[in-house]
Amino acid sequence: MTVSPLVTAYLADLDRALAGADPADRMEIVDSVREHIDAAIAELGADPGQAQIATVLRRLGSADTVAATWLAGAERPAPPAVSGTPTTTKLPTWATVLLVLVGIAVVGPVVVALVTVPLFLLPIRASTPGWLAAVLVAVLILGSIACFLVARRSARHRTAWTVAFVVGLVLAVPAAVAALGLGTGVDGGSSGGRVVEVGPVVEVIPTPSPLP
Amino acid sequence: MEPEDEGAVLTQLRRGTLEYCVLAYLDRGPSYGQDIARALGSDPLLFGSEGTLYPLLTRLRRRRWVDTSWQASPNGPPRRYHTLTDDGRAALRSFVAVWEPFRTGVDRLMKGAQ
């Protein structure tokens, strides 16, 4: 079967119009259109006229129109290849904040326990509640810094992470006060000085001698 | 800026919906290009020209919404048959879920604009 010059010209135009497309996609589109034309012409019977072939091509639309369909679709970002999950549910902001707060409330004590249990095994003279409060302060501050860093990078839940950052800092203040309070007031009573205990740090400050 | 004519409006509408029409047709069963083109082309408002189907099919195959395989034809050379994949079926379901309320909303507003 000889290929009509009309078909050859049409396919060449289409190939040219798809010059910007990926070579594999371009070849697939041109081949598919060629098959469509061949099948449509075959239905016309033996030796169809040029007018009939022109009608087949007219129904296809111009080569530029076909190529424009591809190029217009290419402007849109293609969805991920694995799109079997219909939609990913997006948590509302309040739910994220709640999750973060519950996370701090649950994970915080666990971390404190993990850090402090080994400390009890060490021969350090210090007030146990003071230790606990000091470690809690450290956890809260580190957690807040982490929330702050995530808030800067997160586009979806920036508000939630910022709230978690602020809450962490606010909680760190009473924890710090508690650390100082629990660790203070243990009188050494040894050399006439007073013992000021700040968390795990125990410092002896000599009492100034009275002026003569 | 000039107002859009009907052709431009149709082009915009087809751009967002036609590929789902192809999925809907393939949901009935595997089919080949000419058959799909003929079915969708029966409504000229929906389908401007048969050739625009093929870029759509290539895109759907790239997204893995459609699988393509060669099958023998009773008359003539083998044909590329297109089959809806599970991903394609899920995409179609998502479109249908959105389309109904979307169309209702547009209809309600357009009645006021007439």
Side-chain angles (χ1 to χ4, degrees), chain A residues 72, chain B residues 5-16:
Chain B
D5 59 17
E6 287 180 13
V9 173
L10 262 180
T11 302
Q12 293 290 340
L13 290 174
R14 284 175 185 149
R15 195 169 290 172

Side-chain angles (χ1 to χ4, degrees), chain B residues 8-84:
Chain B
V9 173
L10 262 180
T11 302
Q12 293 290 340
L13 290 174
R14 284 175 185 149
R15 195 169 290 172
T17 53
L18 207 47
E19 57 194 35
Y20 293 99
C21 294
V22 175
L23 294 182
Y25 186 73
L26 290 178
D27 197 31
R28 303 173 186 180
S31 187
Y32 57 96
Q34 207 188 2
D35 183 45
I36 304 168
R38 202 170 283 155
L40 271 65
S42 61
D43 187 342
L45 205 63
L46 194 68
F47 210 45
S49 54
E50 292 178 348
T52 53
L53 170 70
Y54 296 99
L56 287 182
L57 282 172
T58 298
R59 193 176 305 133
L60 294 175
R61 193 187 56 76
R62 273 189 58 170
R63 288 181 189 168
R64 300 180 191 169
W65 288 359
V66 161
D67 259 346
T68 304
S69 59
W70 290 97
Q71 286 185 30
S73 161
N75 45 358
R79 289 169 172 155
R80 284 171 213 251
Y81 266 77
H82 308 281
T83 310
L84 197 60

Side-chain angles (χ1 to χ4, degrees), chain A residues 61-185:
Chain A
S62 74
D64 285 338
T65 305
V66 176
T69 307
W70 175 257
L71 299 173
E75 287 168 10
R76 286 187 296 162
V82 182
S83 46
T85 46
T87 49
T88 49
T89 47
K90 204 173 170 180
L91 280 177
T93 305
W94 66 265
T96 312
V97 173
L98 193 66
L99 276 177
V100 169
L101 292 179
V102 169
I104 288 176
V106 172
V107 177
V110 171
V111 173
V112 169
L114 286 174
V115 173
T116 51
V117 165
L119 291 176
F120 287 127
L121 304 175
L122 295 174
I124 299 173
R125 277 187 59 208
S127 149
T128 305
W131 268 112
L132 282 172
V135 174
L136 183 62
V137 171
V139 168
L140 284 170
I141 289 175
L142 286 175
S144 294
I145 291 170
C147 288
F148 176 73
L149 293 176
V150 175
R152 285 185 62 187
R153 297 169 65 99
S154 169
R156 260 182 71 187
H157 296 308
R158 181 167 293 174
T159 315
W161 287 112
T162 308
V163 168
F165 162 67
V166 174
V167 168
L169 277 189
V170 169
L171 289 176
V173 173
V177 171
L180 290 170
L182 290 167
T184 314

